[in-house]
């Protein structure tokens, strides 16, 4: 197969470079660089993720046939095998759907020209200061013929794209504030106006990249080797340290392993898993014995919504965006704020009145054919994905836990399901987990390794990556619901 051959050649080349450079930890050898007469960069970090030990991530060259095909398809579509793909491959079924959707959004026939699509990706990722995604799409934007002047700042882009800045801002940080007036302003901007089809394409791209920024930070994705922060030209250091350990503030590998999530208070984390299993069992029994009234369910939603406002991390400091990222958006001080703070009241978004399945899906598919189907498939795979395991336990029904995570995210966005008992959330999600969820979804640029390590300490890294897939898809759906409802109201 041609694609597989191309990918094989790339893998072989990367392995050859690793062998050439010599260092087992970061692949570096000063003498050989000098012999070649060139400076060859080495990865600054160790592996695709700063949170997940490299040895636990699938190594290129050791994948099975299905994963090899996914790698080959990704390489053929993007011209690279990026770190996001190498972490997502923990879940091949989801990765296949994700790559198919992203490929369609960026490269197949659609309302927007190719360079607009990548520029919108830059705008969206920049709102969360996600230099990882910004760097990737700057390269892609230039590759498809984008004007380099646009990259000097949003004010240098066409007015039509500048007009999208307000929607990008509100959608990323406070989507419940989106109104049909936002939509009308874009569709009736005289010579700079958007068509409905173009706007739906743009909205899907914005929500896709806001959510992908959450995944990037939530899984600690390392910069690609060719990007800022992804490489070094320095020689490796003495003793058992590697230059990438020093630059990342790490200590020896032995010490890193002692401090990893799986080895912290093993007995305590074991009991956390047992306690969670017991709570799931008790909740299932309560469901079978009695069902709460609609009034009680509504009350529990309001309680959980209010409580979610008081979930914040001790690392909740402002993150100042770097100039190279902040140039791509306006109003850098605008960020996430809870929707009920400062006396502001936002009506609850009831899914029975406007939902993805009955309303959003058909609107997207009508204005941007096939995309609704692709997104719907991706939502369903993330929501229903299960291996029936929990840490060391097998044959476990995890549907209750997955639903609690999904509905908690929507609750933080003011979205309510009438048939769900929100009292289950406090039973199943402890405080450290809620802190992680809220940070990844609302302010992903503030995620730390400590947050990642502190929740579900006995769970596998693949399970934590699965959590991140739930978080980003629930977030994307929440943003889409608010934006598509506003478009529907404008149309009617």
């Amino acid at each position: 197969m041609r694609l597989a051959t191309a990918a094989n050649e790339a893998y072989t080349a990367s392995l050859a470079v690793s062998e050439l450079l010599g260092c087992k930890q970061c692949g570096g050898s000063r003498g050989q660089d000098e012999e070649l007469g060139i400076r060859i960069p080495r990865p600054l970090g160790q592996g695709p993720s700063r949170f997940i030990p490299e040895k636990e991530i699938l190594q290129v060259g050791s994948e099975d046939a299905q994963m090899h095909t996914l790698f080959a398809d990704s390489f053929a579509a993007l011209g690279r095998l990026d770190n996001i793909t190498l972490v997502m491959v923990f879940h091949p079924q989801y990765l296949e759907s994700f790559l198919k959707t992203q490929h369609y959004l960026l490269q197949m026939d659609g309302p927007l020209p190719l360079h607009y699509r990548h520029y919108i990706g830059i705008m969206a990722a920049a709102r969360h200061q996600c230099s990882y995604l910004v760097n990737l799409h700057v390269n892609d934007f230039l590759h498809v013929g984008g004007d380099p002047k646009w990259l000097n700042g949003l004010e240098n882009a066409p007015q039509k794209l500048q007009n999208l800045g307000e929607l990008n801002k509100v959608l990323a940080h406070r989507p419940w504030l989106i109104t049909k007036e936002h939509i009308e302003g874009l569709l009736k901007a005289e010579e700079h106006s958007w068509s409905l089809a173009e706007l739906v394409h743009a909205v899907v791209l914005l929500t896709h990249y806001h959510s992908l920024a959450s995944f990037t930070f939530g899984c600690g994705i390392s910069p690609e080797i060719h990007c800022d922060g992804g490489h070094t030209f320095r020689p490796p250091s003495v003793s058992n340290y590697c230059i990438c350990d020093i630059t990342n503030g790490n200590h020896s590998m032995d010490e890193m392993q002692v401090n990893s999530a799986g080895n912290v208070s093993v007995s305590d984390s074991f009991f956390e898993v047992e306690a969670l299993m017991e709570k799931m069992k008790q909740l299932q029994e309560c469901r079978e014995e009695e069902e709460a009234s609609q009034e009680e369910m509504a009350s529990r939603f309001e309680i959980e919504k209010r409580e979610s406002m008081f979930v914040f991390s001790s690392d909740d400091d402002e993150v100042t965006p770097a100039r190279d990222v902040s140039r791509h958006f306006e109003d850098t001080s605008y960020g996430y704020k809870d929707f009920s703070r400062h006396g502001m009241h936002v009506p609850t978004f009831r899914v029975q009145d406007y939902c993805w399945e009955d309303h959003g899906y058909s609107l997207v598919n009508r204005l941007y054919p096939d995309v609704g189907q692709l997104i719907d498939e991706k939502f369903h795979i993330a929501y229903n994905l299960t291996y029936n395991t929990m840490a060391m336990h097998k044959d476990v029904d995890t549907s209750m836990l997955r639903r609690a995570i999904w509905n908690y995210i929507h609750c933080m966005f003011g979205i309510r399901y009438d048939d769900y008992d929100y009292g289950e959330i406090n039973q199943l999600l402890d405080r450290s987990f809620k802190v992680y969820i809220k940070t990844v979804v609302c302010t992903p640029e503030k995620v730390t390794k400590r947050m990642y390590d502190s929740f579900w300490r006995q769970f596998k890294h693949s399970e934590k990556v699965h959590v991140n897939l739930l978080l980003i898809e629930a977030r994307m759906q929440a943003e889409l619901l608010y934006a598509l409802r506003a478009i529907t109201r404008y149309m009617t």
Side-chain angles (χ1 to χ4, degrees), residues 110-121:
L112 293 174
L114 297 184
H115 62 302
Y116 265 50
R117 303 180 197 194
H118 290 293
Y119 197 82
I120 290 169

Side-chain angles (χ1 to χ4, degrees), residues 331-343:
D331 196 356
T332 56
S333 63
Y334 191 94
Y336 173 80
K337 287 283 187 296
D338 290 306
F339 45 74
S340 298
R341 288 267 171 95
H342 312 300

Side-chain angles (χ1 to χ4, degrees), residues 339-352:
F339 45 74
S340 298
R341 288 267 171 95
H342 312 300
M344 180 175 64
H345 177 70
V346 176
T348 293
F349 187 126
R350 298 180 70 196
V351 170
Q352 71 175 40

Side-chain angles (χ1 to χ4, degrees), residues 44-161:
L44 195 57
Q46 295 181 325
S49 166
R50 293 177 292 108
F51 297 171
I52 305 171
E54 186 177 17
K55 65 181 181 181
E56 299 199 27
I57 293 177
L58 179 72
Q59 299 299 304
V60 171
S62 63
E63 71 275 8
D64 61 24
Q66 179 193 13
M67 293 181 185
H68 181 81
T69 301
L70 284 173
F71 283 160
D73 290 346
S74 176
F75 184 84
L78 301 172
R80 60 178 177 262
L81 200 58
D82 61 30
N83 288 338
I84 286 176
T85 300
L86 292 173
V87 172
M88 275 189 185
V89 83
F90 272 121
H91 304 287
Q93 185 188 3
Y94 174 85
L95 176 60
E96 183 176 11
S97 176
F98 171 85
L99 290 174
K100 194 164 48 172
T101 305
Q102 183 167 265
H103 177 68
Y104 197 94
L105 289 174
L106 293 176
Q107 295 175 284
M108 301 298 284
D109 289 344
L112 293 174
L114 297 184
H115 62 302
Y116 265 50
R117 303 180 197 194
H118 290 293
Y119 197 82
I120 290 169
I122 292 168
M123 291 173 63
R127 281 282 6 154
H128 285 305
Q129 294 121 68
C130 187
S131 56
Y132 175 89
L133 290 174
V134 169
N135 285 332
L136 289 184
H137 285 281
V138 162
N139 291 331
D140 292 339
F141 171 77
L142 294 172
H143 182 70
V144 297
D147 186 344
K149 294 191 187 73
W150 298 10
L151 301 175
N152 292 330
L154 184 59
E155 67 278 5
N156 296 290
Q159 188 61 48
K160 183 172 178 174
L161 283 168

Side-chain angles (χ1 to χ4, degrees), residues 223-474:
E224 303 296 326
I225 189 171
H226 64 281
C227 295
D228 289 345
H231 62 267
T232 180
F233 289 104
R234 297 183 190 178
S237 67
V238 294
S239 79
N240 64 338
Y241 287 102
C242 177
I243 191 69
C244 48
D245 292 330
I246 297 169
T247 52
N248 285 326
N250 297 330
H251 300 292
S252 69
M253 288 303 293
D254 292 339
E255 185 175 340
M256 286 172 68
Q257 286 165 6
V258 168
N259 290 330
S260 68
N263 293 317
V264 176
S265 306
V266 173
S267 59
D268 288 347
S269 54
F270 175 80
F271 288 119
E272 285 175 5
V273 178
E274 298 301 314
L276 181 54
M277 295 274 292
E278 183 60 30
K279 284 176 184 173
M280 289 168 62
K281 181 182 175 184
Q282 290 172 359
L283 285 171
Q284 187 60 46
E285 290 170 354
C286 289
R287 275 184 185 177
E288 292 166 1
E289 288 175 10
E290 59 177 324
E291 188 174 319
S293 66
Q294 280 298 313
E295 292 77 11
E296 180 63 25
M297 301 263 262
S299 173
R300 289 174 185 174
F301 169 80
E302 292 300 328
I303 290 169
E304 190 57 52
K305 190 171 75 169
R306 281 196 304 274
E307 285 187 0
S308 75
M309 292 193 303
F310 299 103
V311 173
F312 59 90
S313 75
S314 56
D315 303 327
D316 200 13
D317 300 320
E318 289 301 315
V319 177
T320 305
R323 164 65 188 149
D324 63 333
V325 173
S326 64
R327 73 179 73 172
H328 299 299
F329 64 95
E330 298 167 331
D331 196 356
T332 56
S333 63
Y334 191 94
Y336 173 80
K337 287 283 187 296
D338 290 306
F339 45 74
S340 298
R341 288 267 171 95
H342 312 300
M344 180 175 64
H345 177 70
V346 176
T348 293
F349 187 126
R350 298 180 70 196
V351 170
Q352 71 175 40
D353 298 330
Y354 195 96
C355 68
W356 166 255
E357 290 80 6
D358 297 336
H359 307 93
Y361 167 82
S362 57
L363 178 61
V364 171
N365 241 25
R366 179 152 50 95
L367 293 169
Y368 187 8
D370 297 329
V371 167
Q373 178 66 40
L374 289 168
I375 295 171
D376 187 62
E377 177 187 279
K378 189 159 60 75
F379 285 156
H380 277 93
I381 289 173
Y383 186 86
N384 295 311
L385 185 66
T386 183
Y387 306 95
N388 299 112
T389 61
M390 274 181 61
M392 69 295 292
H393 296 279
K394 295 180 180 178
D395 302 317
V396 182
D397 180 358
T398 61
S399 56
M400 179 185 291
L401 188 55
R402 284 181 277 120
R403 190 179 186 192
I405 293 167
W406 188 281
N407 287 4
Y408 179 60
I409 294 159
H410 281 198
C411 179
M412 290 191 302
F413 282 83
I415 298 171
R416 181 190 163 209
Y417 294 83
D418 285 355
D419 63 345
Y420 183 68
D421 182 355
Y422 286 85
E424 292 186 2
I425 289 174
N426 271 340
Q427 296 291 313
L428 297 173
L429 312 183
D430 64 24
R431 181 167 183 79
S432 63
F433 192 17
K434 284 184 172 182
V435 166
Y436 178 78
I437 291 173
K438 186 171 183 178
T439 309
V440 169
V441 171
C442 301
T443 54
E445 60 277 9
K446 297 178 181 178
V447 175
T448 64
K449 187 174 186 299
R450 184 190 58 77
M451 290 180 201
Y452 176 89
D453 288 343
S454 67
F455 84 92
W456 283 11
R457 291 174 294 173
Q458 195 66 19
F459 284 70
K460 302 181 187 81
H461 289 289
S462 61
E463 291 172 309
K464 292 193 173 191
V465 172
H466 184 188
V467 165
N468 275 283
L469 299 183
L470 280 169
L471 304 193
I472 67 172
E473 294 301 335

Side-chain angles (χ1 to χ4, degrees), residues 164-195:
L164 194 64
E166 181 70 14
L167 183 65
N168 179 29
K169 176 179 80 173
V170 180
L171 198 57
H173 304 298
R174 308 172 202 175
W176 47 86
L177 297 181
I178 291 174
T179 64
K180 68 177 183 179
E181 283 72 31
H182 286 107
I183 306 305
E184 186 174 22
L186 290 165
L187 297 175
K188 294 187 174 180
E190 298 177 352
E191 72 268 27
H192 305 299
S193 64
W194 293 73
S195 70

